[in-house]
Structure formats: structure tokens, C-alpha cells
Amino acid sequence: MRIILMGAPGSGKGTQGDFITRKFGFPKISSGDLLRQAVIDNTPLGREAEAVMKRGDLVSDHVVIGMIKERIEKEDCQHGYILDGFPRTLSQALALEKMSPEEAEIVIDIHLDDNVVIDRISARRICSGCNHIFNLLLKSPEHKGICENCGGTLLQRADDKPEVIKDRLKVYHEQRETLVEFYKEKNVYACVEGDADREDLFESICSLLDRTVEHVIKDDMVQ
Ligand code: ADP
């Protein structure tokens, strides 16, 4: 089973992906996280991606496709996986079909207005120690700039700065329509409203997932 999470930066794909992992057990694969790790590890891939990511542009298809292929070939993805941030272009979607023609698939598009995206991302901070993500709009840490979990310093991602967010949104909208059309055509597309409490949003996502899983079980019984 393949679950693809679509949505603008800051729409909550990462958080919802983690919730799905906890409930259903499938590993979450975040292209952004993999790329950021490659930058930290200073691998050739990371060196190629760093400047592009800082600008808010897309890393080239061949780099991202190779990276995802390597990841989904691992043992823990055998029964299913969640994709967060991939595919982002039609050629990535086509490459995914080729590398893993999954029978059961659902694409969940988390919808969020651009102005909400900008507010949310501007308030996002990440702990340099434990990678926990804070949203200052929801809750400020007791000591400014300090992580409540581990005492690490809270940082803002270079591409979360307001001037870069606008570029990331532009890139996102340029690619989105084609991808949505592609998955609507495949009959696997569903959209949920992202401007909601994270628990309520997860409930909407779960009911979509439960329906898909039910379908898969029924289809198996028919065969
Ligand atoms: P967001 O979804 O909030 O933009 P991500 O963490 O998913 O953040 O991605 C951060 C950056 O990593 C993107 O702006 C882009 O430069 C790069 N990136 C992530 N996924 C892809 C992808 N599938 N194709 C190309 N570039 C990607």
C-alpha cells in the first residue's frame, strides 16, 4: 500500500505522516528530510541539493528519483510506505509508477490557503538538538529560543524565511495542477481541508485510509 501526501509547504504533511506511521505502521519517507540529511552528511547529493533548496527551487528530478528509489527498495517498505513531498512533478510521478507499480494507492492532498501557509511557516522553528518542530503561533517555548524537550537551540530553516516561502509556494502551484490531474485520472485522489486541528485532520485522513484498506481487502477476497 502506498500513501502519498500532497499539500503546500506547512500544510501538515510531515505531522500527519508521523501520525499515520504510528497508527498503521508504514514508514514515512520525506524527500525534504532525506535531502536535508544529505546536506548535513555533506554527500555529493547533498552538495548538489543545498543551494537549490536554499532558494526554494526544486532539486533536479534525477537526483530525487534516485534517492527515493533507493529508499523504497529497503525491507521496511515491503508492505507499504508513506511519501511526504514526493512526487512533486509529473516526471517524478511517472518514475514512481515504474519503480513500484503498487496496486493499492491513495493520494491525500491537504489543502491550505497561501496566507495561512505563510503565517504557519514563518512561525516554524526546529530544535537543533532533537529535531522537534515547534510552531510559535500555537505555543511559545517557556524560554525563548530554547527547546523544551532537550534544551537545544531553536532554529529557523533557511528556506522558511518569508522571502523564500513565497518562491516555494510559486514552485508548488506550478507543479500541483498536473499532478492532481494525473492522480484524478488514476482514481486515487482525495482532498482534505488542512486548516483544522491536527487531531481532527487526522480523523478525516483515517476515514479515507480505512475506506481504502477496506477496498483492498474486498478486492483480495474477490480474486
Ligand atoms: P516543504 O514541503 O515544506 O516545501 P520539504 O521539506 O518537503 O518542504 O522540502 C524542502 C526542499 O527540498 C524543497 O523546497 C525542495 O528544494 C527540496 N525537495 C523536497 N522534495 C523534493 C522533490 N520531490 N523534488 C524536488 N525537490 C524537492
mmCIF file of all heavy atoms in Angstrom, residues 88-111:
data_model
loop_
_atom_site.group_PDB
_atom_site.id
_atom_site.type_symbol
_atom_site.label_atom_id
_atom_site.label_comp_id
_atom_site.label_asym_id
_atom_site.label_seq_id
_atom_site.Cartn_x
_atom_site.Cartn_y
_atom_site.Cartn_z
ATOM 1 N N ARG A 88 6.673 15.418 -6.717
ATOM 2 C CA ARG A 88 6.335 16.839 -6.789
ATOM 3 C C ARG A 88 6.178 17.284 -8.239
ATOM 4 O O ARG A 88 5.734 18.397 -8.496
ATOM 5 C CB ARG A 88 7.442 17.659 -6.156
ATOM 6 C CG ARG A 88 7.137 18.179 -4.757
ATOM 7 C CD ARG A 88 8.294 19.048 -4.416
ATOM 8 N NE ARG A 88 8.207 19.900 -3.274
ATOM 9 C CZ ARG A 88 8.386 19.538 -2.005
ATOM 10 N NH1 ARG A 88 8.497 18.293 -1.679
ATOM 11 N NH2 ARG A 88 8.408 20.445 -1.060
ATOM 12 N N THR A 89 6.609 16.450 -9.177
ATOM 13 C CA THR A 89 6.459 16.786 -10.596
ATOM 14 C C THR A 89 5.882 15.567 -11.308
ATOM 15 O O THR A 89 5.937 14.448 -10.776
ATOM 16 C CB THR A 89 7.830 17.097 -11.242
ATOM 17 O OG1 THR A 89 8.644 15.909 -11.169
ATOM 18 C CG2 THR A 89 8.555 18.230 -10.560
ATOM 19 N N LEU A 90 5.364 15.804 -12.521
ATOM 20 C CA LEU A 90 4.784 14.687 -13.264
ATOM 21 C C LEU A 90 5.848 13.639 -13.566
ATOM 22 O O LEU A 90 5.591 12.437 -13.446
ATOM 23 C CB LEU A 90 4.133 15.195 -14.564
ATOM 24 C CG LEU A 90 3.414 14.127 -15.368
ATOM 25 C CD1 LEU A 90 2.284 13.481 -14.573
ATOM 26 C CD2 LEU A 90 2.857 14.712 -16.663
ATOM 27 N N SER A 91 7.059 14.074 -13.914
ATOM 28 C CA SER A 91 8.049 13.037 -14.233
ATOM 29 C C SER A 91 8.430 12.226 -12.993
ATOM 30 O O SER A 91 8.717 11.040 -13.106
ATOM 31 C CB SER A 91 9.274 13.576 -14.964
ATOM 32 O OG SER A 91 9.710 14.718 -14.369
ATOM 33 N N GLN A 92 8.367 12.837 -11.823
ATOM 34 C CA GLN A 92 8.605 12.051 -10.598
ATOM 35 C C GLN A 92 7.474 11.044 -10.402
ATOM 36 O O GLN A 92 7.701 9.885 -10.016
ATOM 37 C CB GLN A 92 8.711 12.962 -9.376
ATOM 38 C CG GLN A 92 9.962 13.830 -9.369
ATOM 39 C CD GLN A 92 10.060 14.750 -8.153
ATOM 40 O OE1 GLN A 92 9.323 14.619 -7.181
ATOM 41 N NE2 GLN A 92 10.979 15.691 -8.201
ATOM 42 N N ALA A 93 6.233 11.471 -10.694
ATOM 43 C CA ALA A 93 5.084 10.561 -10.530
ATOM 44 C C ALA A 93 5.208 9.386 -11.499
ATOM 45 O O ALA A 93 4.960 8.235 -11.130
ATOM 46 C CB ALA A 93 3.777 11.314 -10.763
ATOM 47 N N LEU A 94 5.628 9.661 -12.729
ATOM 48 C CA LEU A 94 5.775 8.599 -13.721
ATOM 49 C C LEU A 94 6.904 7.644 -13.329
ATOM 50 O O LEU A 94 6.778 6.425 -13.467
ATOM 51 C CB LEU A 94 6.032 9.195 -15.112
ATOM 52 C CG LEU A 94 4.854 10.002 -15.685
ATOM 53 C CD1 LEU A 94 5.264 10.733 -16.957
ATOM 54 C CD2 LEU A 94 3.654 9.108 -15.953
ATOM 55 N N ALA A 95 7.977 8.217 -12.797
ATOM 56 C CA ALA A 95 9.099 7.376 -12.359
ATOM 57 C C ALA A 95 8.664 6.476 -11.206
ATOM 58 O O ALA A 95 9.054 5.306 -11.138
ATOM 59 C CB ALA A 95 10.278 8.243 -11.941
ATOM 60 N N LEU A 96 7.834 7.008 -10.330
ATOM 61 C CA LEU A 96 7.352 6.221 -9.193
ATOM 62 C C LEU A 96 6.519 5.033 -9.674
ATOM 63 O O LEU A 96 6.632 3.925 -9.153
ATOM 64 C CB LEU A 96 6.530 7.128 -8.267
ATOM 65 C CG LEU A 96 5.954 6.495 -7.008
ATOM 66 C CD1 LEU A 96 7.052 5.997 -6.074
ATOM 67 C CD2 LEU A 96 5.069 7.493 -6.261
ATOM 68 N N GLU A 97 5.675 5.270 -10.677
ATOM 69 C CA GLU A 97 4.863 4.183 -11.242
ATOM 70 C C GLU A 97 5.763 3.056 -11.709
ATOM 71 O O GLU A 97 5.473 1.891 -11.522
ATOM 72 C CB GLU A 97 4.089 4.661 -12.480
ATOM 73 C CG GLU A 97 3.106 5.768 -12.205
ATOM 74 C CD GLU A 97 1.884 5.261 -11.471
ATOM 75 O OE1 GLU A 97 1.203 4.387 -12.005
ATOM 76 O OE2 GLU A 97 1.626 5.763 -10.358
ATOM 77 N N LYS A 98 6.867 3.450 -12.353
ATOM 78 C CA LYS A 98 7.770 2.445 -12.921
ATOM 79 C C LYS A 98 8.511 1.686 -11.836
ATOM 80 O O LYS A 98 8.661 0.482 -11.911
ATOM 81 C CB LYS A 98 8.817 3.147 -13.811
ATOM 82 C CG LYS A 98 8.391 3.227 -15.239
ATOM 83 C CD LYS A 98 9.637 3.282 -16.130
ATOM 84 C CE LYS A 98 9.264 3.890 -17.471
ATOM 85 N NZ LYS A 98 10.209 4.913 -17.889
ATOM 86 N N MET A 99 8.992 2.433 -10.832
ATOM 87 C CA MET A 99 9.843 1.762 -9.839
ATOM 88 C C MET A 99 9.023 0.879 -8.912
ATOM 89 O O MET A 99 9.523 -0.079 -8.360
ATOM 90 C CB MET A 99 10.713 2.758 -9.056
ATOM 91 C CG MET A 99 9.995 3.739 -8.180
ATOM 92 S SD MET A 99 11.114 4.781 -7.211
ATOM 93 C CE MET A 99 11.265 6.255 -8.197
ATOM 94 N N SER A 100 7.740 1.187 -8.742
ATOM 95 C CA SER A 100 6.936 0.389 -7.824
ATOM 96 C C SER A 100 5.469 0.493 -8.210
ATOM 97 O O SER A 100 4.751 1.349 -7.716
ATOM 98 C CB SER A 100 7.213 0.910 -6.411
ATOM 99 O OG SER A 100 6.168 0.713 -5.555
ATOM 100 N N PRO A 101 5.009 -0.385 -9.111
ATOM 101 C CA PRO A 101 3.610 -0.302 -9.548
ATOM 102 C C PRO A 101 2.666 -0.872 -8.488
ATOM 103 O O PRO A 101 2.125 -1.958 -8.631
ATOM 104 C CB PRO A 101 3.596 -1.132 -10.838
ATOM 105 C CG PRO A 101 4.817 -1.975 -10.793
ATOM 106 C CD PRO A 101 5.733 -1.484 -9.735
ATOM 107 N N GLU A 102 2.520 -0.148 -7.383
ATOM 108 C CA GLU A 102 1.679 -0.603 -6.270
ATOM 109 C C GLU A 102 0.239 -0.791 -6.719
ATOM 110 O O GLU A 102 -0.280 -0.003 -7.498
ATOM 111 C CB GLU A 102 1.686 0.462 -5.163
ATOM 112 C CG GLU A 102 3.000 0.669 -4.493
ATOM 113 C CD GLU A 102 3.272 -0.377 -3.430
ATOM 114 O OE1 GLU A 102 2.311 -0.906 -2.862
ATOM 115 O OE2 GLU A 102 4.455 -0.667 -3.202
ATOM 116 N N GLU A 103 -0.419 -1.806 -6.188
ATOM 117 C CA GLU A 103 -1.831 -1.995 -6.533
ATOM 118 C C GLU A 103 -2.706 -1.039 -5.732
ATOM 119 O O GLU A 103 -3.590 -0.412 -6.260
ATOM 120 C CB GLU A 103 -2.247 -3.435 -6.266
ATOM 121 C CG GLU A 103 -1.709 -4.358 -7.344
ATOM 122 C CD GLU A 103 -1.587 -5.777 -6.881
ATOM 123 O OE1 GLU A 103 -2.337 -6.160 -5.972
ATOM 124 O OE2 GLU A 103 -0.729 -6.485 -7.424
ATOM 125 N N ALA A 104 -2.462 -0.958 -4.442
ATOM 126 C CA ALA A 104 -3.291 -0.082 -3.614
ATOM 127 C C ALA A 104 -2.555 1.225 -3.394
ATOM 128 O O ALA A 104 -1.403 1.242 -2.971
ATOM 129 C CB ALA A 104 -3.564 -0.741 -2.282
ATOM 130 N N GLU A 105 -3.252 2.292 -3.711
ATOM 131 C CA GLU A 105 -2.590 3.589 -3.605
ATOM 132 C C GLU A 105 -3.640 4.637 -3.252
ATOM 133 O O GLU A 105 -4.764 4.573 -3.731
ATOM 134 C CB GLU A 105 -1.962 3.905 -4.956
ATOM 135 C CG GLU A 105 -1.301 5.259 -5.057
ATOM 136 C CD GLU A 105 -0.666 5.453 -6.432
ATOM 137 O OE1 GLU A 105 -1.391 5.364 -7.449
ATOM 138 O OE2 GLU A 105 0.530 5.693 -6.485
ATOM 139 N N ILE A 106 -3.264 5.575 -2.418
ATOM 140 C CA ILE A 106 -4.165 6.713 -2.188
ATOM 141 C C ILE A 106 -3.321 7.985 -2.092
ATOM 142 O O ILE A 106 -2.242 7.990 -1.499
ATOM 143 C CB ILE A 106 -5.050 6.518 -0.927
ATOM 144 C CG1 ILE A 106 -5.957 7.740 -0.762
ATOM 145 C CG2 ILE A 106 -4.237 6.263 0.324
ATOM 146 C CD1 ILE A 106 -7.106 7.562 0.188
ATOM 147 N N VAL A 107 -3.829 9.027 -2.732
ATOM 148 C CA VAL A 107 -3.157 10.320 -2.694
ATOM 149 C C VAL A 107 -4.037 11.248 -1.864
ATOM 150 O O VAL A 107 -5.211 11.446 -2.186
ATOM 151 C CB VAL A 107 -2.996 10.884 -4.125
ATOM 152 C CG1 VAL A 107 -2.361 12.264 -4.089
ATOM 153 C CG2 VAL A 107 -2.170 9.934 -4.974
ATOM 154 N N ILE A 108 -3.477 11.763 -0.787
ATOM 155 C CA ILE A 108 -4.249 12.669 0.066
ATOM 156 C C ILE A 108 -3.647 14.064 -0.052
ATOM 157 O O ILE A 108 -2.490 14.291 0.305
ATOM 158 C CB ILE A 108 -4.246 12.189 1.530
ATOM 159 C CG1 ILE A 108 -4.833 10.772 1.594
ATOM 160 C CG2 ILE A 108 -5.029 13.142 2.415
ATOM 161 C CD1 ILE A 108 -4.766 10.128 2.958
ATOM 162 N N ASP A 109 -4.447 14.958 -0.580
ATOM 163 C CA ASP A 109 -3.997 16.331 -0.815
ATOM 164 C C ASP A 109 -4.526 17.202 0.329
ATOM 165 O O ASP A 109 -5.738 17.348 0.502
ATOM 166 C CB ASP A 109 -4.577 16.786 -2.172
ATOM 167 C CG ASP A 109 -4.051 18.133 -2.607
ATOM 168 O OD1 ASP A 109 -3.169 18.679 -1.921
ATOM 169 O OD2 ASP A 109 -4.535 18.637 -3.646
ATOM 170 N N ILE A 110 -3.620 17.747 1.121
ATOM 171 C CA ILE A 110 -4.044 18.585 2.256
ATOM 172 C C ILE A 110 -4.102 20.031 1.780
ATOM 173 O O ILE A 110 -3.072 20.637 1.486
ATOM 174 C CB ILE A 110 -3.067 18.435 3.444
ATOM 175 C CG1 ILE A 110 -2.908 16.949 3.810
ATOM 176 C CG2 ILE A 110 -3.539 19.243 4.634
ATOM 177 C CD1 ILE A 110 -1.916 16.673 4.929
ATOM 178 N N HIS A 111 -5.327 20.551 1.712
ATOM 179 C CA HIS A 111 -5.498 21.895 1.155
ATOM 180 C C HIS A 111 -5.342 22.986 2.226
ATOM 181 O O HIS A 111 -5.889 22.875 3.321
ATOM 182 C CB HIS A 111 -6.876 22.019 0.491
ATOM 183 C CG HIS A 111 -7.161 23.430 0.088
ATOM 184 N ND1 HIS A 111 -7.892 24.295 0.879
ATOM 185 C CD2 HIS A 111 -6.746 24.146 -0.972
ATOM 186 C CE1 HIS A 111 -7.923 25.482 0.288
ATOM 187 N NE2 HIS A 111 -7.241 25.411 -0.832
#
